[in-house]
Each structure stands twice: as C-alpha cells, then as structure tokens.
Amino acid sequence: MNEGFEFNRDGGKLSRPRMGETTKKWVEVVRITSEIAPQLDRYFKEVDTLSDHFIARLQKAVAIPSISADEERRPDVVRMGEFLAAELSGLGAEVEKRSLGMQPSKKHIELPPVIIARYGNDKEKRTILFYGHYDVQPARKEDGWTTEPFELTVDDKGRMYGRGSADDKGPVLGWLNAIEAHQKAGVAFPVNQLMCFEGMEESGSEGLDDFIIDEAKKFFADADAVCISDSSWLGTEQPCLTYGLRGCNYYSVEISGPGQDLHSGAFGGTAHEPMTDLVQILASLVDTHGKIKIPGLAELVAPLTHEEQSLYGEIAFTMDDLYESLGNETSIHSDKEKSLMACWRYPSLSLHGIEGAFSQPGSKTVIPGKVIGKFSIRTVPNMEREDVNRLVFKYVEEQFKELGSKNTLNCSLQHAGKWWFASPKHWNFTAAGKAVERVWGVKPDLTREGGSIPVTLTFEQAIGKNVLLLPMGTSTDAAHSINEKLDRINYIEGIKMLGAYLHYVAEEPITD
C-alpha cells in the first residue's frame, strides 16, 4: 500500500490519515478526478446510506445453494437465476432468461438459463458489457466451515462469510447495487449497461460459448468494452487490474478391473487392484516441488523475457501475503518473484481427488472395482490444448504400461479453457485505473492471475472488444475453499469502485 494511506478493516470503514505529502498528492488526484466525474460524491454517499440494504441483498443470494455441480441442486441454481432476474426487473432493466437446452455432459438434465439484461439504450452513450456467474462451488458445514456456508455471517471484523459471497455473488450484485445507488442519488447513469450472468461457470460454462457466439452480432452487438469482476486482489491491501489468466485442462484417469467391489480379506492378493495402479500413475505426474514430470510440456511455454521479469519486482506483494493466504509457510519458493511467476506465467499440475474410493469417516475394507483419478494442468502462453492433450495421454499410457497391470486404463479430457492475455494500456484499463485511484487512493497493480475464466477469451474473440478484469475481493477470501468470505469494506467500497468505473469509462478517450 502506498505510504500515507490507512484502511481500517476491523470496523469495516475506510479512513484517511492526517495530511502529509502523500496525502496532499492524493487530494490533488481527487480534485482532478472529481472535475471529470463531479457526481461521484453523491453516488458514494448513497452507497454508504444503502450499505445495510446491499448486505441484506447479498444475504438473500447466499442463502440460495446454487451448486451447479450437484444435479439435486439444479432447481436451486435456476432459482438463483430467477432471483437475479427479478431484482434486475425491479430496477427497471430489460431482462431475458435464455434457455441453453440440455446439458451436453448430462443429457437428462437441463442447463440453467443465462440471464441477460440491458439498462439504458442511449445511442449517445457508450455501452459496457458485464459478465458474472450466479452458481457456486459445493459447500458443507462438515467440510470444515466454522459457519453455515449458506447463511451469510458477518463477524466483528466485518468479514462476511458464506459460499458465493466473493465468488461471484457479491461482485454480481455489485452491478445491481450500482444501478440502484445511482437511481436513489439522482445521478444520471453514465453508460448503457449490458449484463450476462450464467449458472454453470463452476462446472465448465457448458453451453455458454455457443450462446455468446450466437449473440455476438445481436444482443452484444453494441458493446464497446467488457468488464468482468470474477477475480481477486493479489494481496489484502493493494487493488489491482488483471490482464492475464492461466487456462485449465481438466483430466480424468479411470482404472477398471474387477467387475464389482471386492472384500480385501477374501480377494486381497489375488487380483490387480485399480487403486494401486491409479495412485502410482497420479504420483508420476508431478513431484513434491511442483515440477511437472510430463516430457515436452515445458517446451510449450513462452520464454521469459528480461522486460517481463523486471515487472515482478514492482508488484505490491510479499511472502507474508502468500503465507496468510496459505494459512502457514508451506510455499514451494522462498521469494516473491519466483512465487508470482510460478502462479502466473508457468504451468502447474494439481491432483484433485479419486472417485469410487472409500472416503467417509471410519474404516471399510473394500477393494474398489473401478476408480477415477482427477487432475488438472493450468496452462499458459503458448500452450495449445491439442499439444497438451497429446503429451498427457502419451505419458499416462506409458506409465500404465510400465506397471504390467491387467486392469484397463482410460485417460480423457473432461473440459478445457484456454489462457488469456490482454493489453493493460487499453482505454478500458486506464478508465478502471482512475476509478480504483478515486475510491482507494492508490494506483492499482497490473497483475496476471493463476486461475481460469474461459469466458474471458470467448467474449474477446466473439465480439472483438477489450476485456477487463476488475476485482472486488482480496486474496484471503478463500473462493472455492472452506470459510469463503468477502470483507464488508471490499463489498461497499467495491460498489463505489464499480460505479466510478462507469463514469470514467464513459469519458475515457478511446485509443487502441
């Protein structure tokens, strides 16, 4: 964080220090930017006034367990989409619930609808498209949550715990809240706002790519730029704009043998056991230091240039930030630059679980007849999906052959999303940078991210416009993990930031 700025997270309020040189410079920035967007102060004040109402709206959203990976929860996913549609309609937006048909990977179940909406249709204004998702990762109290995952719980430090609070219901509702705060503050909305909210992001965004491509020259035709709030700050104090993402190839390794599960007392030692084969294959993929052991993958990665390497030292991030996110000091690397490069610009391979194996508390002496191991590879420039698949399948088949097992192997790609890289010098980014500086008082870091948002690339290629990632939450929000949370200060100040972005992007000079 820049010298001279203090942010009080314990009370959920934003405070400024006494006047020093740095603070005087900040005041000058505010003076200049206030001339550009003179109505922002009224908007900010209204956001503060409505803060409890906005938290109550998030509470309602978190209470809907919209888990897209769970077939039994599909009605809840649909219900969450209907909640968003109703809220948008109540704010005066033109809303449509678009069907995507049956789920390709599970043809017996229908995909949740895409909620598209338009707020404003002034030909004299720019049109900005916003994307988000209303589905969430699975969550159970017994997984280790300290609170009920689908009950928004706010502690005395302003941390709002609940599944989806940060990923992505809080940011999605931020756009709705921005509309409402403008209305009640009597501030003219500066742009035409298009919205596209899906319910399958956490399960591969099935059906969405085709929808975006089909609508590129229709509903999305007049979009001038795209903004996505589905990422996070690098640390806990410094806001950022994200201009690069890793891709993700998700694989399954199925080993089948006996026609049914067996008792280890009756059959142990008499048959090739699928679990034994699988754990050896999975262990051969990556070592304990994160090095991928699949030959040829490293050669697909774009080389590190001196110019790129010099950027990492300026990022406001420390190893203590990483330790806080990890909850301990189990990092592979001991310095900031290597850790950031490992997460942003180099691939990684992670093992995720084994389907078909006994995993409940207690003991069960079963030999599984079939097990499915799951792992993913986070891809980076210039790794292409087909090249990665070819090397993965070849290596896994070779490792299985060396085992000399009579079991059967099937390695397959479950889903994949390509990496994405944009120019942070685009007017969409510079407008967002001014909004961040207006609200938080500091210039944002320009960062890449280790996660994947495949729709980013789809929007960029389909409509041919710049895509910006504008995060709301911090690195400690634990998206996808237990005890997911969104800090109150990030939610409320984030709503201010999103609204400020609308004003600056409406006026920013358009350059390539």
Side-chain angles (χ1 to χ4, degrees):
M1 185 61 67
N2 285 8
E3 181 184 355
F5 295 98
E6 298 170 0
F7 295 88
N8 177 8
R9 290 185 176 275
D10 290 350
K13 298 290 186 180
L14 178 66
S15 61
R16 301 293 181 193
R18 295 180 179 178
M19 281 291 240
E21 282 305 311
T22 305
T23 310
K24 289 177 181 177
K25 292 178 182 178
W26 176 79
V27 171
E28 179 65 12
V29 169
V30 172
R31 185 189 66 78
I32 295 172
T33 54
S34 292
E35 292 175 358
I36 297 175
Q39 302 183 89
L40 283 179
D41 287 339
R42 288 163 56 197
Y43 168 74
F44 292 163
K45 183 178 180 180
E46 192 64 35
V47 171
D48 287 331
T49 300
L50 295 171
S51 60
D52 289 343
H53 168 61
F54 292 155
I55 291 172
R57 177 176 277 154
L58 179 59
Q59 186 176 35
K60 292 178 182 178
V62 168
I64 302 174
S66 50
I67 304 170
S68 57
D70 186 345
E71 290 185 27
E72 294 182 0
R73 292 294 190 185
R74 186 57 54 86
D76 290 316
V77 181
V78 174
R79 184 159 61 96
M80 181 63 208
E82 291 173 344
F83 169 81
L84 276 179
E87 293 290 302
L88 283 163
S89 294
L91 293 171
E94 302 172 22
V95 185
E96 297 180 53
K97 292 181 285 187
R98 294 289 192 88
S99 172
L100 295 179
M102 306 307 288
Q103 186 169 337
S105 63
K106 298 177 180 179
K107 297 186 182 301
H108 61 285
I109 187 170
E110 190 171 357
L111 288 166
V114 173
I115 307 302
I116 57 174
R118 171 183 285 273
Y119 184 74
N121 196 15
D122 187 337
K123 301 301 182 183
E124 300 300 316
K125 294 180 179 179
R126 291 179 186 168
T127 299
I128 309 298
L129 168 62
F130 305 100
Y131 161 86
H133 64 91
Y134 59 84
D135 64 320
V136 299
Q137 285 279 316
R140 302 180 303 168
K141 180 74 181 295
E142 53 266 36
D143 292 336
W145 283 73
T146 56
T147 62
E148 291 294 336
F150 295 103
E151 295 178 9
L152 190 71
T153 304
V154 186
D155 69 8
D156 58 1
K157 293 185 177 180
R159 295 175 296 197
M160 306 188 298
Y161 291 95
R163 175 59 89 214
S165 56
D167 183 22
D168 187 32
K169 293 181 178 181
V172 164
L173 292 181
W175 296 115
L176 279 66
N177 296 337
I179 294 174
E180 184 171 5
H182 274 86
Q183 291 176 346
K184 293 186 175 178
V187 176
F189 209 72
V191 300
N192 302 313
Q193 183 166 314
L194 297 180
M195 288 158 279
C196 177
F197 301 137
E198 68 155 322
M200 285 293 289
E201 194 274 346
E202 301 292 6
S203 297
S205 293
E206 290 190 83
L208 187 66
D209 281 2
D210 289 341
F211 175 80
I212 293 172
I213 293 169
D214 289 344
E215 294 294 329
K217 303 301 182 184
K218 302 173 189 174
F219 185 77
F220 304 132
D222 61 336
D224 293 301
V226 183
C227 182
I228 297 174
S229 290
D230 188 22
S231 53
S232 64
W233 294 2
L234 181 58
T236 60
E237 297 296 326
Q238 184 79 12
C240 68
L241 305 179
T242 305
Y243 66 94
L245 296 167
R246 292 195 293 186
C248 182
N249 285 22
Y250 197 102
Y251 298 94
S252 63
V253 181
E254 178 183 303
I255 307 289
S256 58
Q260 60 186 19
D261 290 353
L262 304 174
H263 190 291
S264 64
F267 295 97
T270 68
H272 288 277
E273 298 187 14
M275 181 72 85
T276 304
D277 294 346
L278 180 61
V279 295
Q280 292 187 74
I281 290 175
L282 294 180
S284 74
L285 297 172
V286 62
D287 69 20
T288 192
H289 300 292
K291 182 179 179 181
I292 301 175
K293 299 165 72 173
I294 300 172
L297 278 185
E299 286 69 30
L300 300 178
V301 179
L304 176 67
T305 65
H306 292 297
E307 180 182 4
E308 179 191 350
Q309 188 170 13
S310 67
L311 298 176
Y312 291 91
E314 300 176 0
I315 300 295
F317 180 80
T318 68
M319 291 304 294
D320 287 338
D321 291 326
L322 178 59
Y323 299 151
E324 182 178 357
S325 296
L326 294 175
N328 51 41
E329 297 186 11
T330 55
S331 60
I332 292 176
H333 305 287
S334 59
D335 66 86
K336 176 182 78 173
E337 287 79 5
K338 288 183 179 179
S339 295
L340 291 178
M341 285 191 279
C343 186
W344 290 356
R345 64 104 51 224
Y346 288 118
S348 63
L349 189 153
S350 299
L351 308 178
H352 301 299
I354 298 177
E355 183 179 337
F358 175 67
S359 60
Q360 301 301 315
S363 59
K364 184 178 181 181
T365 56
V366 65
I367 299 174
K370 180 177 76 173
V371 287
I372 304 173
K374 299 174 183 180
F375 71 94
S376 69
I377 296 175
R378 295 288 175 171
T379 59
V380 297
N382 295 317
M383 301 173 73
E384 298 299 331
R385 178 189 307 182
E386 295 76 13
D387 295 330
V388 176
N389 288 345
R390 173 176 50 81
L391 294 173
V392 167
F393 297 152
K394 180 176 182 291
Y395 180 76
V396 170
E397 289 167 1
E398 289 174 348
Q399 294 301 305
F400 180 70
K401 186 176 181 180
E402 289 182 8
L403 297 178
S405 173
K406 293 182 179 179
N407 291 324
T408 302
L409 164 75
N410 179 30
C411 182
S412 61
L413 177 73
Q414 289 197 13
H415 59 77
K418 190 176 179 180
W419 46 266
W420 165 78
F421 191 85
S423 170
K425 296 180 180 180
H426 190 276
W427 57 268
N428 195 23
F429 277 81
T430 56
K434 292 176 181 178
V436 169
E437 194 166 0
R438 176 69 175 85
V439 173
W440 292 104
V442 292
K443 291 184 178 181
D445 278 336
L446 297 174
T447 67
R448 293 163 69 173
E449 193 165 299
S452 302
I453 310 176
V455 71
T456 306
L457 185 66
T458 305
F459 273 122
E460 184 178 80
Q461 293 179 338
I463 69 175
K465 303 297 183 179
N466 178 269
V467 180
L468 158 76
L469 296 189
L470 183 58
M472 175 181 282
T474 74
S475 63
T476 59
D477 287 342
H480 290 209
S481 186
I482 60 172
N483 300 321
E484 178 183 350
K485 58 88 177 169
L486 178 64
D487 293 336
R488 183 187 187 278
I489 189 173
N490 283 79
Y491 184 50
I492 300 306
E493 299 303 306
I495 295 167
K496 295 178 185 178
M497 177 189 66
L498 298 180
Y501 161 73
L502 297 175
H503 285 266
Y504 286 112
V505 82
E507 301 173 351
E508 189 72 5
I510 293 181
T511 58
D512 292 335

